[in-house]
Amino acid sequence: MALNKKGSRRITVDGIEYRWRIRRKPSYMQGLCWTPLTYAVEAASGSEPGTTLIVTSGQAHPSNWVGAEAVPIRPAHVAASIREARDRGWEPTKAGSPFQLDRSAGFIAQQ
């Protein structure tokens, strides 16, 4: 599955260009702060889409409905996630199922 180019941002990590995107509207669970924010990353080069990286962050979606404080996802966080996923075996140019990376340690769901 390829990321939509509209709304995605480019980032270069270790000489490889990627695109990443946060879902504009939170899912129902993210809106109520029951689950943390997720974002998707994929390699920007190549004619065929590769494996998408799905990163589960440890913070609330900025558009949550309960007013929980949300810290923005910064490019440094995305770059660190990409490096960690590659160390764990993510191969962005090969086709396959989405690669899940959970960085949500410490996330506390709102009641």
Side-chain angles (χ1 to χ4, degrees), residues 23-101:
R23 183 179 173 160
R24 187 174 305 260
K25 293 182 181 180
S27 68
Y28 182 79
M29 300 289 278
Q30 291 172 346
L32 292 172
C33 292
W34 292 346
T35 59
L37 168 77
T38 59
Y39 60 91
V41 181
E42 72 176 8
S45 60
S47 58
E48 294 292 319
T51 304
T52 303
L53 169 63
I54 307 296
V55 180
T56 303
S57 72
Q59 51 216 26
H61 194 286
S63 297
N64 69 72
W65 307 326
V66 295
E69 183 178 343
V71 179
I73 297 292
R74 301 196 184 279
H77 184 275
V78 176
S81 297
I82 290 170
R83 287 186 182 104
E84 182 179 343
R86 292 202 55 138
D87 289 345
R88 292 186 181 196
W90 176 50
E91 297 182 41
T93 56
K94 289 191 177 181
S97 300
F99 189 90
Q100 303 285 333
L101 178 64

